[in-house]
Amino acid sequence: MKSRWLLWLPLALFAGLAVFFIGGLQNDAPRVVTSALVGKPLPAFNLPAGASDRPALDSREYTKGKPRLLNIFASWCVPCAAEAPQLMALADAGVPVDGIAIRDARADVDDFLARHGNPYAHIGLDARSQVQIALGSSGVPETFLVDGEGRILHQHIGDIRAEDVPGLIAKWKAAQ
Amino acid sequence: MIAELGLAALWMSAALAALQLVLAGGGLWSGKKAVAEKGALLSGVRPVAVAQGALVTLSFLCLLLLFLRSDMSVALVALNSHSAKPLLYKFAGTWGNHEGSMLLWVMVMGLAGAAVALFERALRHDTHVATLGAQAAISLGFYAFLLFSSNPFARLNPAAPDGQGLNPLLQDPGLAFHPPTLYIGYVGLSVAFSFAVGALLTRNVDAVFARAMRPWVLAAWVMLTIGIVAGSYWAYYELGWGGWWFWDPVENASLMPWLAATALLHSVTVLATRDALRAWTIMLAVIAFSMSMVGTFLVRSGILTSVHAFAVDPQRGSFILALLLIYIGGALALFGARVGTVREGSQFEPMSRESLLVINNLLLTVILGVVLIGTLYPLMTEAFGHQVSVGPPYFDRITGPLALIMMLAMVAGPLTRWRKDKVGVVAGRLLWPLLIMIATGAVLFVLGGERMSILSFLGLMVAGGVALGSIAPLFKRNLRRTPLFVWGMVVAHLGCAVSLAGMAADSAFTSEKLIAMAPGEKVETAGWKLHFDKVGPIAGDNWSAMQADMTVRRGGSVDIIHPQSRFFSNPPTTTSEAALLTRWNGQLYVVLGEQLDDGRWQMRIWWKPFVTLIWYGGLMIALGGVLTLIGRERRGWALKLRKSHAQEEWA
Amino acid sequence: MLSAALMLVISAPASFPALAQTALPPAPYANRQLDDPAQEKKARDLMHSIRCLTCQSQSVADSEASMAGDLRSEIRERIAKGEEPEHIRSWLIERYGDWISYEPTAEPIMWPLWGVPLLLLGVGGLLVAGRMKRRGAATDGKKGKQI
């Protein structure tokens, strides 16, 4: 019978599906939405100051020839408090860190910084997530590494753990 | 002690399932020829299946009792229940978690196996034994899953002071009974699968076999229909955004088995009536069950969940995948090896009822394929490092037109004779439905067809024609003498038209109003006048809420509705309880949002004309299934009764 | 949220991810419709096909997440300024990739998705045609092809 092979087609299709499922189970990397702007220039923005003792944040800060970290955070976000010590460590290692506080109020940010430390050189206030959206960031906290010409080199999604710090410092050094 | 008793009962039923498999397999292996021995074999397997069903039920009842008594020394209870929970949700909490739902699954499976053992009479003995063997093999896998990786009776030492509670979103009467309905449907499909495997093993695929399998397919299909309708309505009123279907992976997982079951239901009828489509019916029985397993795998393994997913256990996923590979892979291999010996039956006349049923099967299968591929597609592209989303725009655009064409075939099918019919005669019978369709289209066009989407327009138009066309089989018939299964078909097909009309009307005519209001203010929308009387806190069983009082007027009627924003403390969650006011021609849907800085409250107000038709139609489809089931089986039951009476008299 | 909730029913109800939300009021047009119904309809259609970033399987139109609210406001304000919906969509895709849009893009990686229904219909149609009798050919009783 010429259509004999047809009878085995369902099994073949199922085998394909099974291989695919097995592959899917192996892949336990967290699925995150990465910004499509990595490798592209930082969008222009100009935000008002997010804390009372730090200057405001302008995107022109990133075209002054020195790579910087741009941290997206919020006083109401729990993982942001958890990553605060790592940001302090980065700042202590000489990496310039700026912050953008998302949907926040200056008093709350001040309070947050008083409790968890203040690693930021500049802090911008993004009350309506507009800059966050323009950056292609999908949550808090996130951290971008921007080179001296204002190009986004790297995006770190989620809180920075202690083990991430050396890698970030290396990346920052390489960008110089 | 109860937990230990439950666990012991579970182990024993697993052992009985193994015994059932060995008895059936060994028996079939040794005595290939002697049909008389098969009768003896069957009487040997039967009590084992019944005992297995009884023991696994006992095990489930033990778990139920643990939940009702809030026994916090059992880990599962402590994780998923709370002593202050209303009784209904303690009850429903039993299956509102992974382990409990799997136990429910094996219980239904055990009971179904016992029913197949006890009540099935028409099937050839060897096929019957093989079916029970296959059923035992499936059960055994799920028992292993429970006992080795998801023990529901595990103790917690020391016992927890109190439980962590059930997710408040799930604390809803409608949802409490949604999962069991779906599971019964899935298990029904597993029975159809066992029948198919049994028939392949014993090379016995014919009309008698189809008639034996049909009630199981029908019953499973009815339960799946109810489950999907209930789930959709729950999402609609509980999640507070007025949508009823989002082509979400979890929804798709429940839709795919339904699509396969619907196709199977129709092909099994062709097999029962015309002794044709043998291989295809077997194939569909395998597909239907594999879809319920694939759905379970997709949902529980977590491979489809994206950002901010909650922890899912990869071990569970591997276990389900292993079961999937063994059962479905095995069945498909058996299919490839054996089905060549099954004659497919005669070819069809292009103009015949069976041809139209084949077209229905083709379209359902294509829709099933589209839903499956669409659901998995983001996962596939991710393997190439490209993240995409497949959602309503894609699914609507592809499945919508296919479903509409299928609806037309659905009207034509019952109006066409089996074997052979004349094109002209069928066209004549279709004249009125076609005219109604065109008239509906014309009226809609005049009323403002350019404002609605093409799919809604076509949907309403087709719904009009299908509504008339689906009752056309009753014309010129003595209604009292019309068999019940014809009524069942008519009601189910009419239900499709009703549901379609509701879907199209909802997407074409819904009006939405978002507004911030202070108490004392009023708003007018879509012919309704709403007055925001007041807002204040109230307390419920295990929640507190902000509740608004709104007076709504339309025409002469005045009603007061109470949208709420509810806060639960165990676990801490906020849910919005929409206020729904149902009229014959639609639903007013009001959601109380958050309070703004200036003291006003955010309100979302929808008027959804004829939206309720979606679920009424769905229930009509299920009712049609029930009527057909009774209509088809009543004769068999009557016969059985008479037979047993005769036997008693003889004795 | 729909997905998350339904998932709970069928799978293990772990605790809900505690989505921290801000105390700030929503952006001006997050929950306020545009005055011009034609513009609002444009915005609505777009919002229904833009995926919410912080929730599972929901469009920004249906989500209560604060970021979805900000995105709604952004979309409405841009539409009010006369920007075309497709322009906003491509602006978002530039930032978040194709993931953000439920509306399939014209990327080659999406082509098979449109090909699958055609392929299935074609193969199925051929199989069905094989089951049909040719006009006038009396083949009843002869062995049919396997479907």
Side-chain angles (χ1 to χ4, degrees):
Chain A
M1 200 176 275
K2 66 177 174 182
S3 57
R4 191 101 235 196
W5 62 271
L6 206 60
L7 302 180
W8 294 95
L9 186 65
L11 186 62
L13 287 177
F14 177 73
L17 198 66
V19 168
F20 177 64
F21 282 160
I22 293 170
L25 271 186
Q26 306 301 320
N27 172 23
D28 55 355
R31 224 162 277 144
V32 288
V33 187
T34 49
S35 171
L37 285 185
V38 176
K40 297 195 175 131
L42 187 73
F45 59 84
N46 181 13
L47 288 172
S52 21
D53 59 348
R54 285 293 187 279
L57 185 62
D58 190 295
S59 55
R60 277 173 295 183
E61 202 61 44
Y62 295 87
T63 49
K64 291 180 176 168
K66 245 195 140 191
R68 308 176 72 87
L69 285 185
L70 175 56
N71 177 243
I72 312 275
F73 77 106
S75 66
W76 44 265
C77 134
V78 182
C80 299
E83 79 168 352
Q86 283 70 256
L87 286 174
M88 291 301 282
L90 283 163
D92 289 346
V95 182
V97 183
D98 302 311
I100 296 184
I102 305 297
R103 299 192 59 83
D104 231 324
R106 201 173 294 176
D108 295 334
V109 176
D110 284 343
D111 191 41
F112 177 86
L113 297 175
R115 257 184 298 144
H116 302 288
N118 187 347
Y120 303 112
H122 300 76
I123 299 179
L125 189 66
D126 188 12
R128 292 174 42 194
S129 324
Q130 282 169 312
V131 174
Q132 186 185 20
I133 293 168
L135 279 167
S137 148
S138 50
V140 278
E142 274 182 28
T143 308
F144 292 89
L145 173 62
V146 187
D147 74 5
E149 276 78 54
R151 182 173 298 275
I152 301 175
L153 294 180
H154 175 72
Q155 179 195 23
H156 182 96
I157 296 177
D159 53 325
I160 298 171
R161 307 281 171 94
E163 62 265 28
D164 301 325
V165 173
L168 279 171
I169 294 178
K171 281 203 175 78
W172 173 75
K173 280 192 174 147
Q176 294 208 323
Chain B
M1 267 322 282
I2 302 173
E4 284 67 31
L5 176 66
L7 189 59
L10 193 59
W11 272 106
M12 279 192 279
S13 32
L16 284 175
L19 179 64
Q20 186 177 334
L21 178 60
V22 169
L23 273 182
L28 286 174
W29 194 269
S30 57
K32 278 219 151 107
K33 294 264 153 55
V35 178
E37 274 173 35
K38 298 293 175 349
L41 188 57
L42 185 58
S43 359
V45 174
R46 196 175 276 150
V48 180
V50 174
Q52 185 210 330
L55 275 173
V56 68
T57 307
L58 173 67
S59 176
F60 181 78
L61 289 178
C62 287
L63 188 65
L64 196 63
L65 198 59
L66 291 171
F67 267 86
L68 290 181
R69 292 165 51 141
S70 295
D71 186 340
M72 295 304 165
S73 70
V74 174
L76 192 66
V77 181
L79 278 173
N80 296 293
S81 194
H82 191 275
S83 58
K85 213 165 55 166
L87 191 65
L88 171 69
Y89 302 121
K90 286 184 184 169
F91 189 71
T94 315
W95 55 77
N97 56 76
H98 168 74
E99 287 83 357
S101 65
M102 290 315 286
L103 186 56
L104 176 69
W105 176 306
V106 294
M107 177 188 77
V108 181
M109 212 164 202
L111 288 176
V116 174
L118 279 178
F119 302 121
E120 184 50 55
R121 287 288 184 270
L123 214 52
R124 223 167 70 187
H125 283 326
D126 57 343
T127 313
H128 196 174
V129 171
T131 302
L132 288 172
Q135 187 74 8
I138 302 173
S139 302
L140 206 52
F142 284 94
Y143 283 127
F145 187 22
L146 270 169
L147 291 167
F148 296 132
S149 100
S150 339
N151 178 10
F153 297 104
R155 289 281 188 184
L156 199 61
N157 195 13
D162 208 334
Q164 298 184 358
L166 175 70
N167 187 306
L169 271 176
L170 309 186
Q171 298 195 18
D172 176 275
L175 202 64
F177 295 98
H178 167 67
T181 326
L182 275 183
Y183 290 153
I184 296 173
Y186 289 164
V187 169
L189 292 181
S190 83
V191 176
F193 173 84
S194 299
F195 268 96
V197 171
L200 276 177
L201 282 171
T202 54
R203 295 192 171 85
N204 173 28
V205 186
D206 59 8
V208 177
F209 158 77
R211 283 194 276 273
M213 180 161 93
R214 181 160 57 189
W216 292 97
V217 177
L218 252 174
W221 178 80
V222 166
M223 296 314 273
L224 288 176
T225 309
I226 294 174
I228 293 175
V229 171
S232 153
Y233 190 67
W234 169 80
Y236 168 78
Y237 78 77
E238 183 71 24
L239 297 182
W241 46 272
W244 53 272
W245 194 264
F246 201 71
W247 295 106
D248 169 287
V250 180
E251 293 169 332
N252 292 351
S254 71
L255 180 65
M256 289 189 290
W258 184 85
L259 288 168
T262 312
L264 177 59
L265 185 64
H266 290 90
S267 88
V268 86
T269 301
V270 175
L271 181 55
T273 314
R274 293 276 286 117
D275 202 4
L277 292 187
R278 291 174 180 169
W280 176 240
T281 303
I282 295 289
M283 188 70 234
L284 270 181
V286 175
I287 291 180
F289 180 55
S290 59
M291 281 307 136
S292 58
M293 283 201 70
V294 165
T296 311
F297 168 72
L298 290 180
V299 172
R300 298 206 186 193
S301 68
I303 70 169
L304 279 179
T305 51
S306 54
V307 263
H308 308 289
F310 33 137
V312 265
D313 189 349
Q315 195 199 347
R316 268 177 212 164
S318 318
F319 218 115
I320 301 177
L321 185 57
L323 294 181
L324 185 72
L325 292 184
I326 296 169
Y327 298 141
I328 307 307
L332 289 175
L334 187 66
F335 179 87
R338 276 288 166 86
V339 90
T341 61
V342 175
R343 252 187 4 100
E344 186 56 15
S346 52
Q347 285 185 306
F348 301 142
E349 289 290 339
M351 195 68 237
S352 64
R353 187 181 290 188
E354 46 269 47
S355 289
L356 285 159
L357 284 168
V358 167
I359 290 172
N360 141 305
N361 263 247
L362 170 66
L363 290 170
L364 278 168
T365 314
V366 172
I367 293 176
L368 172 63
V370 168
V371 175
L372 181 66
I373 299 288
T375 309
L376 297 179
Y377 205 72
L379 214 58
M380 296 181 185
T381 63
E382 216 173 67
F384 298 98
H386 201 116
Q387 288 175 314
V388 302
S389 296
V390 179
Y394 171 76
F395 288 112
D396 287 350
R397 224 169 281 164
I398 302 282
T399 59
L402 289 172
L404 290 181
I405 298 170
M406 198 171 70
M407 292 281 214
L408 298 179
M410 187 183 85
V411 171
L415 297 176
T416 309
R417 280 179 217 283
W418 291 101
R419 285 170 192 280
K420 192 172 184 181
D421 210 335
K422 293 204 175 71
V423 178
V425 178
V426 175
R429 295 190 197 116
L430 287 173
L431 184 65
W432 278 107
L434 276 174
L435 285 178
I436 289 287
M437 205 182 304
I438 293 166
T440 318
V443 169
L444 283 172
F445 191 75
V446 173
L447 285 180
E450 74 275 11
R451 267 184 292 133
M452 57 182 93
S453 75
I454 181 86
L455 210 54
S456 321
F457 180 84
L458 289 175
L460 285 168
M461 198 172 135
V462 169
V466 171
L468 182 74
S470 51
I471 52 172
L474 294 178
F475 295 168
K476 294 181 194 160
R477 263 186 121 128
N478 181 339
L479 292 186
R480 298 177 65 185
R481 288 225 190 123
T482 305
L484 203 53
F485 61 82
V486 174
W487 278 104
M489 177 194 72
V490 167
V491 170
H493 286 181
L494 186 59
C496 292
V498 169
S499 201
L500 175 64
M503 295 172 192
D506 175 47
S507 78
F509 305 126
T510 293
S511 66
E512 181 187 38
K513 182 86 185 169
L514 309 175
I515 189 172
M517 295 173 87
E521 288 185 341
K522 57 187 162 196
V523 62
E524 257 188 74
T525 177
W528 290 85
K529 287 182 185 142
L530 295 94
H531 186 266
F532 185 8
D533 304 329
K534 61 177 193 294
V535 60
I538 66 162
D541 282 338
N542 54 343
W543 46 266
S544 60
M546 287 306 281
Q547 175 172 297
D549 291 8
M550 299 190 89
T551 310
V552 298
R553 294 187 172 81
R554 178 176 216 181
S557 75
V558 182
D559 291 273
I560 297 186
I561 55 172
H562 305 283
Q564 286 179 353
S565 191
R566 265 188 208 178
F567 316 105
F568 289 80
S569 47
N570 295 307
T573 317
T574 308
T575 66
S576 58
E577 299 287 312
L580 294 179
L581 186 64
T582 309
R583 288 282 172 270
W584 67 271
N585 58 349
Q587 247 174 359
L588 184 69
Y589 188 118
V590 181
V591 177
L592 176 69
E594 49 197 288
Q595 191 173 21
L596 305 180
D597 274 356
D598 57 7
R600 292 184 303 164
W601 292 80
Q602 186 63 52
M603 297 275 182
R604 279 178 284 168
I605 305 160
W606 283 281
W607 167 239
K608 294 174 159 292
F610 299 106
V611 69
T612 42
L613 292 186
I614 298 174
W615 305 288
Y616 285 134
L619 290 180
M620 282 173 73
I621 296 174
L623 174 67
V626 172
L627 292 180
T628 308
L629 187 62
I630 297 173
R632 290 271 186 213
E633 296 309 305
R634 198 171 42 183
R635 215 177 302 164
W637 295 332
L639 215 65
K640 251 173 250 168
L641 269 181
R642 223 173 301 147
K643 235 186 217 167
S644 61
H645 274 300
Q647 274 170 352
E648 274 163 31
E649 276 166 31
W650 184 251
Chain C
M1 190 101 118
L2 170 60
S3 157
L6 284 181
M7 179 114 34
L8 277 168
V9 182
I10 313 186
S11 78
S15 58
F16 244 39
L19 276 179
Q21 302 265 5
T22 79
L24 277 199
Y29 280 92
N31 297 311
R32 190 175 141 200
Q33 290 160 305
L34 294 171
D35 294 329
D36 177 359
Q39 283 190 333
E40 173 64 20
K41 187 181 177 329
K42 269 191 192 173
R44 242 183 66 88
D45 289 348
L46 179 62
M47 290 184 301
H48 273 285
S49 67
I50 295 297
R51 187 161 181 176
C52 169
L53 288 155
T54 43
C55 11
Q56 292 189 35
S57 308
Q58 259 187 320
S59 74
V60 292
D62 304 324
S63 172
E64 285 179 44
S66 54
M67 198 174 173
D70 289 339
L71 206 45
R72 283 199 297 272
S73 191
E74 181 83 19
I75 288 174
R76 284 202 175 103
E77 287 167 61
R78 285 185 176 210
I79 298 256
K81 279 185 206 139
E83 202 173 329
E84 278 308 308
E86 286 317 302
H87 188 257
I88 303 173
R89 185 195 306 282
S90 47
W91 184 84
L92 283 168
I93 289 177
E94 244 169 63
R95 268 136 191 93
Y96 291 101
D98 293 334
W99 188 91
I100 191 90
S101 172
Y102 273 121
E103 184 74 47
T105 51
E107 293 277 322
I109 197 153
M110 298 305 272
W111 294 351
L113 197 54
W114 301 101
V116 161
L118 289 176
L119 183 76
L120 287 174
L121 264 181
V123 171
L126 279 179
L127 284 171
V128 168
R131 296 288 310 141
M132 299 292 172
K133 269 185 209 167
R134 296 281 162 73
R135 194 167 291 231
T139 47
D140 207 5
K142 219 166 135 189
K143 257 191 201 172
K145 260 193 224 156
Q146 308 291 342
I147 287 196

